[in-house]
Amino acid sequence: MKPSQLVTLSFFFLLFFSNWLLGARSASHEPLFDTDGNKVESTLYYYVVSAIWGPGGGGLSLHSGRNSLCPLDVIQESSDFERGIRINFSPFDNSTVVRESTDLNIKFLTLITSCNEQPVWKVDNYDDSRGKWFISTGGAEGNPGAHTLQNWFKLERIGSNAGIYKIVHCPSVCESCVKLCNNVGISYVDGARRLVLVPDEEPALAVVLFLAKERSNYA
């Protein structure tokens, strides 16, 4: 084979591989979809509600902390008639379209002012007395990196159909950092369904996303 032909084939192989790799990456970061089948956007607000009706509970809301009022913990409403508080997703790259398996800040739209803190989700300090990592508020938006690991979450598809997701804390904003990597589930503590990090053998909370077309009971 002539050198020129070899260079040409190498070029086309590199082009093919690059396109394949780009396609693979795109396929692994498909857009999130709400219950109307529309792409989820960072400029809109949503109700994050259990995908299991009835005993699965309702939407996500806030509750006083385990040992004091603040910080507020993220909880799930016990009734499926309650959609909770509206939520906004902010991707780490400021993208308008919110995608699967992408680092996000999750923020409540709320008028509750009992705590002087941002309604941004974070993984709270480890609770020794209960042996769990709880999801609370008081996180900070943006600034992806080693010092903000506790503020980042992802939504990942459950099963083959788009629209049903689990919430995951496994930040990619610092690849070299030692980090937690767990699904988010439910723990019944002090009469509330509090969101916690759960091991693989425990069920993750399965959710769907309703576009917030009206005001909730809280905001």
Side-chain angles (χ1 to χ4, degrees), residues 67-125:
N67 301 314
S68 60
L69 178 63
C70 301
L72 299 179
D73 282 344
V74 181
I75 67 161
Q76 182 195 29
E77 299 282 7
S78 58
S79 171
D80 61 356
F81 291 105
E82 298 179 89
R83 289 191 173 180
I85 305 176
R86 290 180 286 178
I87 283 175
N88 173 253
F89 304 103
S90 299
F92 78 101
D93 58 359
N94 299 315
S95 173
T96 299
V97 176
V98 184
R99 298 183 179 277
E100 297 177 18
S101 304
T102 297
D103 287 299
L104 311 164
N105 290 138
I106 304 178
K107 180 181 180 180
F108 283 115
L109 177 65
T110 175
L111 301 178
I112 297 174
T113 57
S114 54
C115 293
N116 185 25
E117 61 188 20
Q118 292 293 317
V120 179
W121 291 23
K122 72 175 183 182
V123 177
D124 203 0
N125 295 328

Side-chain angles (χ1 to χ4, degrees), residues 152-156 166-170 181-184:
W152 298 101
F153 297 85
K154 302 174 182 178
L155 269 69
E156 296 182 352
K166 62 180 179 178
I167 305 169
V168 178
H169 174 70
C170 188
C181 206
N182 299 88
N183 294 326
V184 173

Side-chain angles (χ1 to χ4, degrees), residues 5-57:
Q5 292 177 318
L6 182 60
V7 171
T8 301
L9 287 174
S10 298
F11 171 79
F12 281 113
F13 175 80
L14 179 61
L15 182 62
F16 172 82
F17 180 78
S18 298
N19 289 335
W20 176 84
L21 185 60
L22 180 60
R25 287 177 176 174
S26 299
S28 64
H29 293 281
E30 293 294 323
L32 300 178
F33 291 94
D34 63 21
T35 54
D36 294 322
N38 297 318
K39 294 178 182 179
V40 173
E41 298 184 15
S42 61
T43 57
L44 302 175
Y45 280 83
Y46 298 85
Y47 295 111
V48 180
V49 179
S50 172
I52 303 173
W53 302 114

